[in-house]
DNA sequence: AACTATAGTTAACGTCGTTAAGTATAATGT
DNA sequence: ACATTATACTTAACGACGTTAACTATAGTT
């Protein structure tokens, strides 16, 4: 009743407990992340995670509703990392150069973190993130972050007059770019290319070749010739 | 010793047994196929397959080395069905029209048999087909059938002068087409679009729109303008 | 008629995700 | 100050999974 009375969420012992809870969550996610990066998705079992932080498997259920929720929390970080790759090249002024750099970043991410990429874009986590969603957390869906950047990139390109006028649906352009690059990466990952023995059924071209070819095809289809030649002139200047 | 002496593989009772063995294999694969088509990959368990044909789970191991081998045998049929889709349009004379029709068939297959597509192209079956291979069977890798058709299509297009001269690596062209379309399909399947609620994070365009856009982009990048305008004139004639 | 390969069975192991029930410890109400 | 209650775990267990070992009945061969 008094003005000094602290509300339930502010009681010192409670906020300390909350902090400890959060710390425990992070320890769990850390262990899961390690296992995942080291030995792939199938090594991430509830028991293995618990072992690594010296708890029992059932303890995890106090912090995560189930394994899927745990994996989704893991994904949050990964999507942020993914988005960060595109932030890096968002400063490029020339729209076509930026698109090329983004494509490069996209494929590089997939090949650098194959396990993560697989979990993010190739594993059905009972209908990806979202599900029934519920009143879980604010969350803001960090999966969107990268896509939002992609949208911004395409919008910028459009307002710079770099997109062919027949493409009125910019969303379609975004999804076209995403699909094409995802195709390149996911095929590369599905046929784990590294160990490509000489008499393999299909001699897959290097991801660099495929990425460049895909990139130039999509750009040729989407971007005006003006914008492409402008970007080439710029990169010429840089080289000289 | 005598000339009438049948070799081991020809003894009547043996070939009958072999036939029965094959029949059993087919029953198993049939049950697996049903379960798979009806309820998806996770419903395909050794015990469920066995139940359906009124055997015990361990009996399956007499006919298949393990679950992976069983699934791979299942895939064989699926790849044949996949290849058949491209056979259908292989008769089209105009190279560009044939490429368009193949793209349509590709995406249609993926959306018609999502479970199969996922298993074929989106599920790591411990390094897809092949593995250590061993002296298993002739097999001839039916996964190749469709790819072989793709190669033939591109080669035909090239010898008809439809491919831009800068594309000297026809294999790269094949893989470019495959990657682009696979990207469209796999994204469509990963975000099971049917139940796309209105305030979903990303408003995915229809697979038809994406397929057409991807197709035209890739064609624009790969095929000569001549060939494209020729194919358009032909389709004009048809329409009139 | 004795032997042997074939095609199955039952029982079991170790793994998994997950739930139920119990147990200390710390924070709170009176 | 003491009884109560919520918190953060543990142990035990369930049912399902892929898979192996050991056993059994049947058919084919000799």
């Amino acid at each position: 009743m008094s003005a000094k009375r602290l509300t339930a969420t502010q009681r010192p012992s409670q906020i300390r407990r909350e902090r400890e809870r959060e710390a425990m969550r992070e320890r769990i996610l850390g262990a899961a992340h390690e296992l995942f990066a080291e030995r792939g998705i199938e090594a991430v079992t509830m028991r293995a995670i618990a072992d690594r932080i010296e708890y029992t498997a059932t303890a995890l259920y106090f912090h995560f509703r189930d394994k899927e929720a745990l994996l989704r929390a893991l994904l949050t970080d990964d999507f942020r990392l993914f988005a960060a790759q595109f932030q890096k090249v968002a400063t490029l002024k020339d729209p076509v150069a930026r698109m090329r750099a983004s494509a490069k970043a996209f494929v590089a991410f997939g090949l650098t973190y194959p396990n993560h990429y697989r979990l993010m874009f190739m594993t059905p986590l009972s209908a990806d993130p979202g599900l029934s969603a519920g009143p879980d957390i604010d969350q803001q869906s960090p999966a969107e972050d990268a896509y939002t950047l992609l949208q911004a990139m395409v919008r910028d390109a459009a307002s710079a007059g770099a997109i062919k006028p027949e493409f009125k649906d910019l969303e379609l352009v975004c999804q076209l770019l995403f699909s094409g690059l995802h195709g390149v990466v996911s095929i590369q990952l599905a046929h784990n290319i590294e160990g490509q023995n000489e008499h393999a059924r299909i001699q897959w071209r290097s991801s660099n070749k495929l990425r460049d070819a895909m990139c130039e095809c999509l750009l040729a289809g989407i971007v005006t010739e003006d914008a492409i030649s402008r970007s080439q002139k710029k990169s010429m200047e840089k080289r000289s």
Side-chain angles (χ1 to χ4, degrees), chain A:
Chain A
M1 278 297 199
S2 74
K4 280 172 73 179
R5 177 83 161 78
L6 299 166
T7 80
T9 52
Q10 285 172 323
R11 280 210 194 84
S13 61
Q14 277 205 358
I15 69 166
R16 199 211 67 213
R17 299 246 285 207
E18 211 162 290
R19 199 175 53 232
E20 284 172 355
R21 250 185 90 73
E22 185 54 35
M24 183 60 185
R25 258 184 77 101
E26 303 258 306
R27 287 192 66 198
I28 294 171
L29 287 176
H33 181 89
E34 282 174 30
L35 282 166
F36 183 55
E38 287 167 17
R39 305 199 265 123
I41 183 68
E42 68 229 22
V44 185
T45 73
M46 299 303 265
R47 287 172 168 89
I49 297 169
D51 273 7
R52 193 164 270 236
I53 55 174
E54 297 177 288
Y55 279 75
T56 43
T58 50
L60 307 188
Y61 287 84
F62 198 84
H63 299 272
F64 294 94
R65 166 203 280 277
D66 55 18
K67 192 187 183 183
E68 191 190 310
L70 200 160
L71 289 180
R72 231 197 285 283
L74 255 195
L75 277 181
T76 301
D77 291 342
D78 294 340
F79 275 114
R80 264 195 258 278
L81 179 61
F82 184 62
Q85 309 304 308
F86 300 107
Q87 276 290 16
K88 278 185 197 163
V89 298
T91 56
L92 288 175
K93 291 287 189 326
D94 181 71
V96 175
R98 183 174 165 193
M99 286 166 107
R100 285 207 182 91
S102 296
K104 216 165 182 169
F106 187 114
V107 177
F109 179 88
L111 300 183
T112 310
Y113 307 102
N115 287 334
H116 298 256
Y117 190 91
R118 253 187 281 263
L119 184 56
M120 288 165 70
F121 297 117
M122 297 167 73
T123 306
L125 212 50
S126 59
D128 238 10
L131 193 63
S132 65
D136 229 316
I137 310 183
D138 50 316
Q139 183 122 13
Q140 186 66 6
S141 183
E144 261 178 67
D145 293 357
Y147 192 81
T148 303
L149 282 169
L150 177 57
Q151 284 175 316
M153 180 178 74
V154 170
R155 232 185 348 251
D156 289 355
S159 57
I163 305 282
K164 285 184 181 172
E166 62 257 41
F167 282 98
K168 282 180 293 187
D169 184 354
L170 293 186
E171 205 69 19
L172 180 68
V173 172
C174 291
Q175 293 172 19
L176 207 51
L177 294 170
F178 186 86
S179 298
L181 295 170
H182 171 66
V184 169
V185 172
S186 66
I187 278 183
Q188 207 76 193
L189 294 188
H191 314 75
N192 57 333
I193 307 293
E194 23 172 340
Q196 189 177 64
N197 44 350
E198 29 193 312
H199 36 71
R201 311 159 305 288
I202 299 175
Q203 284 295 329
W204 288 99
R205 294 296 176 259
S206 79
S207 57
N208 277 347
K209 270 215 183 84
L210 271 168
R211 182 246 295 154
D212 286 342
M214 176 63 74
C215 197
E216 293 313 314
C217 261
L218 292 175
L219 286 180
I222 292 168
V223 167
T224 62
E225 288 178 22
D226 259 35
I228 288 190
S229 57
R230 261 205 303 273
S231 90
Q232 272 163 353
K233 212 161 54 179
K234 272 189 195 167
S235 67
M236 289 289 193
E237 284 164 15
K238 256 187 195 166
R239 257 170 226 150
S240 61

